[in-house]
Amino acid sequence: MKTDIAIIGGGPAGLAAAAAAHDAGVKDILIIERDNELGGILNQCVHNGFGLHTFKEELTGPEYAGRYVDMVKERNIPYVLKTMAMDISSDRVITLMSREKGIYTVEAGAIVLAMGCRERSRGALNIPGYRPAGIYSAGTAQRYVNMEGRMPGKEVVILGSGDIGLIMARRMTLEGAHVQVVAELMPFSGGLKRNIVQCLDDFGIPLKLSHTVVDIQGKDRVEGVTIAQVDEKMKPIPGTEEHYDCDTLLLSCGLIPENELSKSAGIKLDPVTKGPVVDESLETQVEGIFACGNVLHVHDLVDFVSQEASVAGEKAAEFVQGRLGTPVKEVGISCKGGVRYTVPASIDLGRMADKQVVRFRVGQVFKNARIVTYADGEQLSSVKKRIMAPGEMEQVILKKDVLQQHGDLQNITVAIETE
Ligand SMILES: Cc1cc2nc3c(=O)[nH]c(=O)nc-3n(C[C@H](O)[C@H](O)[C@H](O)COP(=O)(O)OP(=O)(O)OC[C@H]3O[C@@H](n4cnc5c(N)ncnc54)[C@H](O)[C@@H]3O)c2cc1C
């Protein structure tokens, strides 16, 4: 089987990429989704707050996803469900598996990776104690409560203050559980400020920063957990232990982009984002394979996922149409002063759009600092921000005409500077 563009993952990123590729003139597209339905993780996010940027209204996750599913259906873009992409080769042959069709391959003119991310599991976190029932990742608990009508427990402690944990603190409370505390290892929350206010503060749920779980009690079912304060090296401080009687521990300790397929295609991954290294066209270092959404880097707002995915879809279309253009000069983007990474990691001055969005996250909380960009050491822009935190994505816009004035440009830098 052959297709012009194969899109792996039918979440918001895959759907937006498909619609954009179609609008750019490529009609032979295949969306590959392993789940029973399109929509991705948004299907289990029944809270509102989605789409403020894109649709200027507050939608629930399924409503937001539904708008993009409609776009795909209006355009008659083909998709397969309950079909898992098992392998991608560097020459863009995808091995798929489904119950109905068994194992088969698709040769794609271009591929858009949109596989999203998964939650970091307890095993990866090394919490001591037994392995009793009652320990869930926050996303698993969310699926149980919102999609399967099951309640994971009644007395809850949450470790990690990523957005999923914060959302689940509120959700479990609304469903009648008692959320006793959210413990966060870092001295700052990993989630959006608005989620801390709306999901914890509004419900009187304490957030204990610089705390972690040091023991889990219970053999068959969780009976309690002990948390303790940690020092600057993240080591528990003896004497600060606090015990909580509870039957449930939810873990919200980070998301990992799902890049097993990317690795099989020989795609270079960024050690910070754990997603593919991409250029201005969101093309990975394997020609004709593009990436977007949470598989590229973990996003806070789905609106940015959709925007980014539209670019990936358009660029994949340009690639199969032979319009993407050959790279003229690739210029790397360096990170300085607390900028952890940038997406893209480099831009080509020939292929870049008139305005290039560069997204990044900071590694610590900054107050009244500036986001400053440089071209070969010469300042291009400086924007003051009252607050920047690791939980919130930041962005700068680079202008092509300005960069082109820098003759033999070697390097662009994005830096955080404090006053
Ligand atoms: C609990 C929670 C709360 C959130 N709250 C908000 C919020 O309030 N506001 C907001 O704007 N954003 C929110 N987000 C973020 C938003 O949901 C994500 O940014 C967005 O869903 C990412 O889209 P995606 O398409 O990249 O990934 P996903 O939605 O994860 O979709 C990836 C898809 O790829 C499929 N897939 C993966 N691997 C394969 C494979 N090998 N073969 C076939 N299919 C595959 C998966 O089944 C999935 O359907 C929240 C996220 C979570 C988890």
Side-chain angles (χ1 to χ4, degrees), residues 8-15 32-35 37-42 44-45 47-51 83-86 96 114-117 138-139 142 163-165 167-168 192 194-195 255 258 261 292-296 298-303 305:
I8 306 180
L15 297 170
I32 299 151
E33 171 55 55
R34 68 183 170 192
D35 212 335
E37 55 187 330
L38 297 173
I41 195 79
L42 290 191
Q44 66 182 62
C45 301
H47 58 281
N48 62 0
F50 296 84
T83 303
M84 175 103 180
M86 310 288 293
L96 301 180
M115 291 92 74
C117 56
Q142 185 181 48
D163 286 316
I164 317 179
I167 299 277
M168 281 313 289
L192 292 169
R194 76 171 195 214
N195 281 338
L255 298 165
E258 293 233 29
L261 288 177
C292 56
N294 275 2
V295 80
L296 179 56
V298 175
H299 291 66
D300 46 6
L301 296 183
V302 72
D303 306 78
V305 169

Side-chain angles (χ1 to χ4, degrees), residues 42 45-54 56-61 64 161-170 189-203 205 207 299-304 386-387 389-393:
L42 290 191
C45 301
V46 300
H47 58 281
N48 62 0
F50 296 84
L52 283 169
H53 295 259
T54 311
K56 309 284 175 258
E57 46 181 321
E58 268 199 80
L59 304 173
T60 64
Y64 186 96
S161 60
D163 286 316
I164 317 179
L166 300 175
I167 299 277
M168 281 313 289
R170 176 176 66 184
S189 164
L192 292 169
K193 178 76 185 154
R194 76 171 195 214
N195 281 338
I196 296 170
V197 173
Q198 294 171 5
C199 301
L200 300 188
D201 298 353
D202 286 358
F203 293 88
I205 301 168
L207 170 62
H299 291 66
D300 46 6
L301 296 183
V302 72
D303 306 78
F304 299 143
R386 205 172 56 77
I387 190 143
E392 320 233 350
M393 195 179 275

Side-chain angles (χ1 to χ4, degrees), residues 74-89:
E74 282 158 13
R75 289 165 178 75
N76 289 317
I77 298 173
Y79 58 89
V80 287
L81 299 174
K82 299 186 205 166
T83 303
M84 175 103 180
M86 310 288 293
D87 183 69
I88 308 175
S89 67

